[in-house]
Amino acid sequence: GAGVSQSPRYKVAKRGQDVALRCDPISGHVSLFWYQQALGQGPEFLTYFQNEAQLDKSGLPSDRFFAERPEGSVSTLKIQRTQQEDSAVYLCASSAPRGEQYFGPGTRLTVT
Amino acid sequence: AQSVTQLDSQVPVFEEAPVELRCNYSSSVSVYLFWYVQYPNQGLQLLLKYLSGSTLVKGINGFEAEFNKSQTSFHLRKPSVHISDTAEYFCAVIPSGGYQKVTFGIGTKLQVIP
């Protein structure tokens, strides 16, 4: 594809609901990153994949957050039992090994 | 660990005037430095990057930045801004070794006034 795509672009969830956010990286990019951008803040690292392996999940804020990339391409970020503090824009980025990261447009999650 | 400080949360500037957005960083290891721009409801777009070599780096849309190792700074400049430059700008670093987990500053909102 032409770039990193994310879906949905906007998601409204009631507190306690589970959500799944999808990221389609640039074809052939082995590295994939998830970031969380709270309102008025810079993006903060959540987790990193190299192909299907999740090599770093140190940024995941709680065990309600889970990410996967089973075939080394598309990735899903799942948030269980959403809370209001989970409201943020979730950004996905992909890169070639040691290359520039290309960011998707993000998914804006609002928890009511 | 790395950290990035962007001291100015908002910078208003008149159209065609020059602008400087400040960025300072802290790191115990050598780093690569980046500036990204984010337009409303869009993802991040890379403006420019410093990896090595010349400390003055030129990027897209007429922006440039200068790496100053002694002052641990990487300020972004443009000699004449346009209305279309209104956006949020993020300074970021990654360690020069290892994989590229990016550490971002909190961002500076550039407001260009007609």
Side-chain angles (χ1 to χ4, degrees), chain B residues 46-90:
Chain B
L46 182 67
L47 271 181
L48 47 78
K49 59 186 176 184
Y50 172 79
L51 304 182
S52 64
S54 173
T55 57
L56 182 63
V57 180
K58 294 189 183 297
I60 63 171
N61 301 340
F63 284 93
E64 64 180 32
E66 186 155 19
F67 170 57
N68 188 317
K69 187 174 182 179
S70 62
Q71 297 186 5
T72 60
S73 67
F74 191 55
H75 301 331
L76 181 70
R77 302 186 185 99
K78 186 170 183 178
S80 176
V81 296
H82 301 124
I83 292 290
S84 59
D85 293 324
T86 295
E88 190 149 21
Y89 293 79
F90 293 93

Side-chain angles (χ1 to χ4, degrees), chain B residues 13-67:
Chain B
V13 62
F14 285 104
E15 192 174 17
E16 297 184 6
V19 68
E20 178 180 84
L21 305 184
R22 296 180 293 168
C23 172
N24 289 86
Y25 69 94
S26 173
S27 177
S28 57
V29 299
S30 60
V31 295
Y32 298 144
L33 295 145
F34 304 80
W35 275 98
Y36 288 87
V37 60
Q38 187 175 38
Y39 299 101
N41 298 316
Q42 294 188 28
L44 296 165
Q45 181 182 4
L46 182 67
L47 271 181
L48 47 78
K49 59 186 176 184
Y50 172 79
L51 304 182
S52 64
S54 173
T55 57
L56 182 63
V57 180
K58 294 189 183 297
I60 63 171
N61 301 340
F63 284 93
E64 64 180 32
E66 186 155 19
F67 170 57

Side-chain angles (χ1 to χ4, degrees), chain A residues 2-24:
Chain A
V4 178
S5 61
Q6 293 185 245
S7 61
R9 290 293 314 277
Y10 303 91
K11 177 69 179 178
V12 179
K14 291 185 177 180
R15 188 163 59 93
Q17 283 185 332
D18 297 349
V19 298
L21 313 179
R22 177 187 170 106
C23 172
D24 284 83

Side-chain angles (χ1 to χ4, degrees), chain A residues 9 37 56 98-101 104, chain B residues 38 41 90 96 98-100:
Chain A
R9 290 293 314 277
Q37 186 177 14
D56 187 346
R98 303 206 57 73
E100 172 189 335
Q101 288 187 31
Chain B
Q38 187 175 38
N41 298 316
F90 293 93
S96 58
Y99 77 87
Q100 299 169 296

